[in-house]
Amino acid sequence: MSGTRIHVLAVCGHEAGHGTALRQLAGPDTTVVTSGRELYRALAARPARQDTAVVPMTLGRDPGLIADAARTVRALPPDLRRTVAVADPFGGPEHLVGWLRAAASAVPAEAALLLTAPGGDPHQDAELDRVAHLVRRYGRHRLVQTALPGGDPDPAEGVRRCVLLGARQVAVLPASFVPAAPPPAPAKVTVLDAGPLLGPAALAAVLSARATAAVRRLHDSGEDGLAAALAAADRHGPAHSHGPDGGHSHGPDGGHGHDHHPHHGPGAGHSHDHAPPPPKAQQHIHSSPLTAARSHQ
């Protein structure tokens, strides 16, 4: 597949403002769509023999987007589906923590970090708080808070909480693809815009890597990524605890909620609140796109 052009369909949910945050950044070989009908129409309109990668644009807080994209691909007629691969999601929680820490490295250590992202369901919002805890635990900023634009707390309330905890500088940093809009600063407080999470060059590099890997798997082994994508939502959800007798606690619907480590598949045992890789390992994985992004800003 060397030299073959891959058409990329970037499938967006709330973490990308349902596409509005990415449409201006898409290159000529990338189409930004929402899941469902818009994705189906884009797939049906393309040439049947064109290699196409469907990339779910989640950063780990919207596993349902991955499964929804796979269900749409599965609904295609066999002749249209033959050259379509569902890629790994753009990122997971461990990527998000690493990218946030890299972006925060330019923020003064004495400032508070306010991580903002569009709200989801309660479990997705709780995942943002977990990410913030890891950014604080493995970073250099003493205060790390979260805010949900249009939600509770909103960015203005998030800044107020930082001030009540002693901050005089608050850096607003998006934990999603949606740019942060810093709220007005209270008296004697400086509010900084620390975004974006990823610059255009870094975003393009990661998107290209996910698409290329997916199409390569399709060519080499016939693996279209559907099975893994369809199972994505089952591997995430409200965490459950094991009691002294080894029993499970269940959610309101009686189902199991599993919080698997990103590197384990279904049935691989449970892993709760894992730390991200050490800073050097993260920089090794992400240094190239991030460095490129900073040089293009």
Side-chain angles (χ1 to χ4, degrees), residues 77-116:
D79 59 323
L80 289 179
R81 200 172 70 202
R82 192 170 296 113
T83 55
V84 178
V86 180
D88 292 340
F90 184 93
E94 75 280 10
H95 297 101
L96 180 56
V97 171
W99 288 328
L100 285 167
R101 290 179 57 208
S105 66
V107 175
E110 64 274 13
L113 288 179
L114 182 63
L115 308 184
T116 67

Side-chain angles (χ1 to χ4, degrees), residues 10 35 38 48 50 52 59 67 94 103 110-111 152 158 177 180 183 195 202 207 212 218 230 265 276 280 286:
S35 61
E38 191 173 2
Q50 183 180 22
T52 301
L59 294 163
E94 75 280 10
E110 64 274 13
D152 182 22
F177 299 107
L207 192 58
T212 300
L218 183 65
L230 288 168
K280 288 184 180 179
H286 305 297

Side-chain angles (χ1 to χ4, degrees), residues 107 109-116 129 132 136 141-148 153-173 183-192:
V107 175
E110 64 274 13
L113 288 179
L114 182 63
L115 308 184
T116 67
D129 289 332
R136 179 183 181 276
H141 294 86
R142 184 177 64 86
L143 289 177
V144 181
Q145 297 287 307
T146 62
L148 307 170
D154 63 14
E157 174 64 15
V159 168
R160 190 183 76 84
R161 293 182 182 186
C162 291
V163 172
L164 289 174
L165 291 170
R168 290 296 172 261
Q169 274 190 322
V170 181
V172 181
L173 176 59
K188 299 181 180 180
V189 175
T190 302
V191 177
L192 310 170

Side-chain angles (χ1 to χ4, degrees), residues 4 14 39 92 142 167 174 179 195 235:
T4 303
H14 66 80
L39 171 59
R142 184 177 64 86
R235 296 197 301 269

Side-chain angles (χ1 to χ4, degrees), residues 17 35 71 120 165 206 211 236:
S35 61
R71 283 190 284 268
L165 291 170
V206 175
H236 296 75

Side-chain angles (χ1 to χ4, degrees), residues 178-272:
V178 180
K188 299 181 180 180
V189 175
T190 302
V191 177
L192 310 170
D193 183 353
L197 175 66
L198 293 172
L203 191 146
V206 175
L207 192 58
S208 175
R210 300 290 182 264
T212 300
V215 172
R216 180 177 292 115
R217 284 194 298 266
L218 183 65
H219 280 268
D220 292 349
S221 63
E223 174 54 58
D224 59 11
L226 277 175
L230 288 168
D234 295 333
R235 296 197 301 269
H236 296 75
H240 66 268
S241 59
H242 297 270
D245 60 352
H248 296 73
S249 64
H250 299 275
D253 60 356
H256 292 74
H258 294 75
D259 188 13
H260 291 280
H261 188 276
H263 298 298
H264 294 282
H270 301 83
S271 175
H272 300 278

